[in-house]
Amino acid sequence: TKTIPFLLAGRVKAMDAEVSVPNDGGDQAKMEAKRVQMMDRLAAIEEARKADADARRAELDAAADPRENIRSFLAGFEERKARVEGEVNSHRSAVGTPDAKPADDLRAALDALQADVIAIERSVAEASYFLPAYDSRACTAAVDHLKKTVAGATAELLPRKKFTFSKKKKEATASKPDGEKKEADDVAAQLARVDIRTTTSGTSGTSGPKGSKEDEGPGLRNRTGETVVVDASSAVGDFELKRLVDCTVYLCNLEPLRAVRAYDLRNTRVYAGPVAGSVLLHGADACEFHLCARQVRIHDATNGTSFYVRTASGPIIEHSSDVRFAPYAFGYPGIDEAMELAGFGGADPGKWREVEDFGWIKQVASPNWRILAESERVPPSKLPSIDAS
């Protein structure tokens, strides 16, 4: 066919053109040498860049907080949770066997587990800013379950004897100097004269319709229009405030509370002593809080709710608006010693003003909170004078 001669002709023409190109061997060698030199230089630059990037990555990994690694945090959380659960099961299975611990040793072991759970809870709160919402909720629920597990084991293995509390209270009163006895008597007299209600320990702080199992434990729930002083003997451990309207609550604890949880409060004032762990608030409308805690987390607060706080880290707000902050100034007899026990001795470091709004990701300041001007701050309410009528 005509196609083959045409292709052959093109091939011959290309070969002729190739042969006709002048070939200066010296110039070609120089060009090749330059090309090789340039490629070597580029390869060296790339190797240096990679080495520098690897070095910076290693430096950042070494300096990074391991808690900010989600996978690392969750693995550590599961390990700590499993250890607490394993120890609780070990104490339970040892009952009636030679491995059973004496009561005092068992109490110390269970107290240590409670402290471990509080430490785990604190770590979850501190990690909440980088944990995904699902993981944060799952960890919080697991911590709540752990707390109930340890509390259940304590109640099961170390049942409280009748009148033990009254006996301790009498012994504590008897051991106090005369001045402290008189002070305690004065406070009791103040409360009696002004008809302020004082709650007792356990679940008797709950009034109104009986709630679910979630409403069990020390706390105040379903109250309207009441002033309540939770005395030192009742303000212990974990305390819950739920569904309070137009109330004033004083938590006059002489030992640090482990944690405080508050839900659905409206037009209510809360004056609390030091909390060794965290305060977690869900839902506050036109309220006023005086809080001293390792950490304060606030969800769904609005309508001018004010927080007079002292914290070890900046308060955290989420889904909140029109909230204000000022320094903590609440006081009552015995609070200084409780502050020392909770690790709040010395001057206030001023963390109350370092508010973090987790719902505000823009570079400009969040419009959802502000610092109360000194002229706007309300002095903390004190217990009524003994001369009150």
Side-chain angles (χ1 to χ4, degrees):
T1 65
K2 294 183 180 181
T3 306
I4 294 176
F6 176 78
L7 292 175
L8 288 174
R11 178 68 174 170
V12 169
K13 188 179 292 187
M15 290 176 67
D16 291 341
E18 187 175 344
V19 171
S20 66
V21 174
N23 184 8
D24 188 341
D27 290 344
Q28 207 169 35
K30 287 180 182 179
M31 291 295 293
E32 180 64 18
K34 287 183 179 180
R35 188 186 69 80
V36 171
Q37 187 179 12
M38 182 181 65
M39 295 301 295
D40 290 343
R41 188 181 303 141
L42 290 174
I45 292 174
E46 179 65 14
E47 287 296 327
R49 187 193 66 78
K50 287 183 178 179
D52 183 59
D54 291 341
R56 282 185 295 166
R57 190 177 298 110
E59 183 179 348
L60 289 173
D61 289 343
D65 186 343
R67 294 174 303 174
E68 295 187 9
N69 183 302
I70 297 174
R71 184 177 300 174
S72 174
F73 176 84
L74 294 177
F77 176 83
E78 288 297 330
E79 182 179 341
R80 297 167 73 185
K81 180 171 78 74
R83 187 186 64 78
V84 171
E85 292 173 337
E87 291 195 25
V88 169
N89 292 335
S90 177
H91 292 315
R92 278 181 165 145
S93 61
V95 174
T97 71
D99 295 332
K101 292 185 176 182
D104 290 343
D105 292 347
L106 181 58
R107 188 178 303 278
L110 292 173
D111 287 345
L113 289 178
Q114 286 181 336
D116 288 344
V117 173
I118 295 300
I120 295 173
E121 181 180 40
R122 189 175 305 150
S123 70
V124 171
E126 292 172 351
S128 61
Y129 75 94
F130 67 85
L131 283 178
Y134 173 81
D135 290 325
S136 181
R137 288 194 299 269
C139 288
T140 301
V143 168
D144 290 340
H145 179 71
L146 270 186
K147 290 163 70 175
K148 292 177 181 178
T149 298
V150 175
T154 302
E156 175 187 337
L157 302 177
L158 296 169
R160 184 173 295 185
K161 297 179 181 179
K162 290 183 178 180
F163 307 112
T164 298
F165 176 78
S166 298
K167 183 179 180 182
K168 285 184 180 178
K169 191 173 180 181
K170 289 179 181 178
E171 288 176 353
T173 304
S175 64
K176 288 182 180 178
D178 291 341
E180 292 188 20
K181 287 182 185 178
K182 185 176 186 304
E183 190 176 64
D185 292 342
D186 286 349
V187 171
Q190 293 173 23
L191 302 182
R193 291 175 67 91
V194 297
D195 194 27
I196 291 181
R197 299 184 56 184
T198 303
T199 183
T200 57
S201 61
T203 60
S204 55
T206 301
S207 68
K210 185 175 181 180
S212 64
K213 288 188 177 181
E214 293 181 354
D215 286 346
E216 294 178 356
L220 296 171
R221 306 174 182 92
N222 307 313
R223 303 275 184 125
T224 300
E226 296 185 20
T227 297
V228 183
V229 176
V230 183
D231 61 23
S233 61
S234 301
V236 293
D238 294 2
F239 205 86
E240 183 179 77
L241 304 170
K242 184 178 284 188
R243 295 184 293 273
L244 305 182
V245 179
D246 299 327
C247 290
T248 301
V249 179
Y250 300 87
L251 296 175
C252 301
N253 46 300
L254 298 183
E255 292 185 3
L257 291 160
R258 282 197 299 267
V260 172
R261 302 287 179 266
Y263 305 89
D264 302 327
L265 274 57
R266 182 158 55 87
N267 195 33
T268 289
R269 288 150 297 285
V270 177
Y271 303 89
V275 180
S278 62
V279 173
L280 179 62
L281 168 67
H282 282 273
D285 181 8
C287 294
E288 182 181 318
F289 295 89
H290 297 254
L291 306 167
C292 175
R294 189 69 48 189
Q295 185 179 63
V296 175
R297 296 206 57 171
I298 301 158
H299 300 260
D300 303 308
T302 188
N303 199 15
T305 294
S306 299
F307 296 90
Y308 296 79
V309 297
R310 177 170 177 175
T311 61
S313 59
I316 296 171
I317 65 173
E318 293 183 76
H319 309 112
S320 299
S321 62
D322 189 21
V323 294
R324 296 90 62 87
F325 289 85
Y328 180 77
F330 179 50
Y332 54 86
I335 191 174
D336 291 339
E337 292 80 2
M339 295 279 280
E340 289 285 346
L341 289 173
F344 290 105
D348 186 342
K351 293 290 185 181
W352 60 270
R353 64 174 66 245
E354 299 177 10
V355 181
E356 295 183 68
D357 186 352
F358 280 10
W360 186 257
I361 60 175
K362 298 181 181 180
Q363 293 296 323
V364 297
S366 168
N368 297 320
W369 69 275
R370 66 180 178 89
I371 292 176
L372 270 175
E374 291 192 16
S375 59
E376 298 178 285
R377 297 173 189 175
V378 178
S381 176
K382 296 182 179 179
L383 293 177
S385 170
I386 194 168
D387 296 326
S389 57

